[in-house]
Structures are given as structure tokens and as C-alpha cells.
Amino acid sequence: MNSVFVNTINNKNISSVLFISTDVECLNKFRTFSSDKYNIVFFDSDRFYLLNSEINSFDLIVFDNSNDLLPKFIEGFKLTRLSSLNVPMILLEDEMSKDLSLYKFSNTYSIFDKNIDENILVNNIELSLNFLSSNKKVQFEKGFYFDINKEILFQDKKIIKLTRIERRLISLLASNVNNLVTYEDISSVVWKGKEFSIYSLRNVVKHIREKTDELFIKNSSNRGYVINTI
């Protein structure tokens, strides 16, 4: 990650939280906090464009909006390839904005007073992650996202109709996002021991691409497939 990120813990097997604030005092209240249940990464700049390649790798964002930086964050986000932000956000505010569209676009999950006790906020982060883990959505390019638990693929709010095999394949790839899933694993999980061939798999991938985008699922060195977040 860029040097503007601080206090990064590299454990990819647990949930990750991005804490955004330009207030040094606010950051210092939380920078010494550690948890074995989630990673917390701090971003101490208003150069939000530096987040564009990283933003969808997080499970939750805590955004300090006491300096009214949310509009700048949103404008910078709209200039990227992303059409919507699906990472839930906890906002810290001095006072509520009258422009509720800001909260809607930023996918605001909850709002707390900026001076909230740090222990209360930490507990709410954990509660939020527990809830979100049972309602997990994986965000892709061009507004596509996949609801892991319901096994439904959306583009913005539109449901993309999938066959059972297509749904199983996307579910497997989305559960291993950014990682190669081999033909062997696909055969075992998606086809469940039934007759499998590379030809049939390629045909399924072809139909998924026709419903989504040519680059939605990518082949990797003829060993398997990978699906990437942004």
C-alpha cells in the first residue's frame, strides 16, 4: 500500500477496516488498538484518489467527516471506473448533513458523534462486521456485485439471471476473489463429482461473460479462472 497508509496489519484471513481521518488526535485514539478479529488500517490524508485501487478490498470503512470531507471523497470516487460504492461506511460527524444523498451514495451504515467513546466505537465496529459477514457482497467493475449468502449477481440494482452451474461458479470464484481457482477445484465444488470437461466449463464461462462483461472472469495460464475486485 501507499505510504499514506499507516498501521497496516497483514492478516488476509480476517475482516479488514479502513479508518479515514485527517485529525491526528482522532487517529491517535485508535492507532494503538489491535484485534485478533479484524485488521484496522488508517488513512491520514485527503488525497482520496490514492484509495481507488484499494477501497473494495475492505469490509468496512470508518470515515471522520468532521471536516466535511465526504463530498470530496465522493467526487473523487465518481471519477474512477467504479459506478457505486458497496463497502459499508460508519460516519463520524459533528452534526448531521442536510444532504442525505451524500449518505446514500457513500453507503452509510451508521452515524455516530465525532466524540464517541473509543470503546463504544470499537464495539460497534465489531458488531457491524459480525452482521455484514452474514450479508457479504463482493464488488466488481462496472457496477457488478455478488451477494455471497444469497448467491445473487447484481449490476447496480438489476439482478443478473444465472443458471445453477453459473451461480455455483461465480460463488466459488467470488469466495476466492483475486485468487486462482484451479480446474480441479471447480470440478469438485461446482460440478460436485458429476461428469466434467474443460469444454463444458469454458461454455459456462462464455455464457457468464455474455451476461456480464468479457473480462468479468479471467483465465489464468490455462490452469483455472480468477475473478477480480477493483
Side-chain angles (χ1 to χ4, degrees):
M1 285 188 177
N2 191 285
S3 60
V4 76
F5 288 90
V6 292
N7 198 31
T8 303
I9 305 171
N10 295 315
N11 185 343
K12 297 181 180 180
N13 296 318
I14 60 177
S15 298
S16 57
V17 178
L18 175 63
F19 196 112
I20 302 174
S21 178
T22 57
D23 184 338
V24 174
E25 184 178 346
C26 178
L27 286 172
N28 287 339
K29 288 172 61 177
F30 296 96
R31 285 181 63 176
T32 57
F33 175 77
S34 63
S35 171
D36 59 356
K37 296 182 178 179
Y38 59 89
N39 297 332
I40 184 164
V41 177
F42 296 88
F43 186 83
D44 59 359
S45 169
D46 63 353
R47 292 179 290 163
F48 299 124
Y49 62 88
L50 295 173
L51 290 169
N52 292 345
S53 63
E54 304 282 352
I55 197 73
N56 281 296
S57 64
F58 294 95
D59 298 289
L60 181 69
I61 299 171
V62 179
F63 192 100
D64 173 12
N65 194 39
S66 57
N67 293 326
D68 197 28
L69 290 173
L70 188 59
K72 181 177 179 179
F73 172 81
I74 290 174
E75 286 306 310
F77 186 84
K78 287 181 177 178
L79 295 176
T80 71
R81 295 174 298 167
L82 309 177
S83 61
S84 60
L85 177 65
N86 282 302
V87 182
M89 183 181 290
I90 292 177
L91 285 180
L92 304 181
E93 293 272 32
D94 282 335
E95 60 181 43
M96 289 277 291
S97 171
K98 295 180 180 179
D99 185 0
L100 297 181
S101 65
L102 292 176
Y103 298 146
K104 182 178 180 180
F105 185 88
S106 59
N107 205 28
T108 299
Y109 183 73
S110 56
I111 302 172
F112 294 104
D113 187 274
K114 168 69 178 293
N115 297 314
I116 185 174
D117 179 88
E118 55 265 38
N119 292 316
I120 295 177
L121 179 57
V122 165
N123 288 337
N124 274 278
I125 289 173
E126 186 170 328
L127 289 170
S128 299
L129 288 171
N130 287 339
F131 175 79
L132 293 167
S133 66
S134 62
N135 295 273
K136 186 172 179 61
K137 297 178 176 62
V138 182
Q139 173 76 28
F140 309 110
E141 295 181 6
K142 299 186 178 180
F144 292 103
Y145 66 94
F146 189 73
D147 187 314
I148 292 287
N149 294 290
K150 295 181 180 179
E151 293 191 333
I152 299 176
L153 180 65
F154 296 86
Q155 184 175 32
D156 298 323
K157 295 183 179 181
K158 177 185 176 182
I159 294 178
I160 307 298
K161 293 183 179 180
L162 301 170
T163 66
R164 181 180 300 176
I165 290 292
E166 291 168 354
R167 186 169 63 249
R168 285 179 184 170
L169 178 59
I170 294 176
S171 180
L172 175 62
L173 296 175
S175 297
N176 296 275
V177 69
N178 301 321
N179 294 309
L180 170 69
V181 180
T182 65
Y183 295 142
E184 291 77 11
D185 288 336
I186 293 172
S187 174
S188 174
V189 176
V190 178
W191 266 259
K192 297 183 180 295
K194 296 180 180 179
E195 186 175 350
F196 168 82
S197 70
I198 298 301
Y199 173 79
S200 61
L201 172 58
R202 288 174 178 168
N203 197 42
V204 170
V205 171
K206 175 177 178 290
H207 288 307
I208 292 174
R209 287 171 174 167
E210 289 173 349
K211 296 176 181 181
T212 55
D213 182 79
E214 184 64 28
L215 299 177
F216 184 73
I217 296 177
K218 300 174 184 176
N219 185 265
S220 181
S221 303
N222 287 319
R223 294 186 295 129
Y225 287 94
V226 62
I227 192 168
N228 296 314
T229 53
I230 303 164

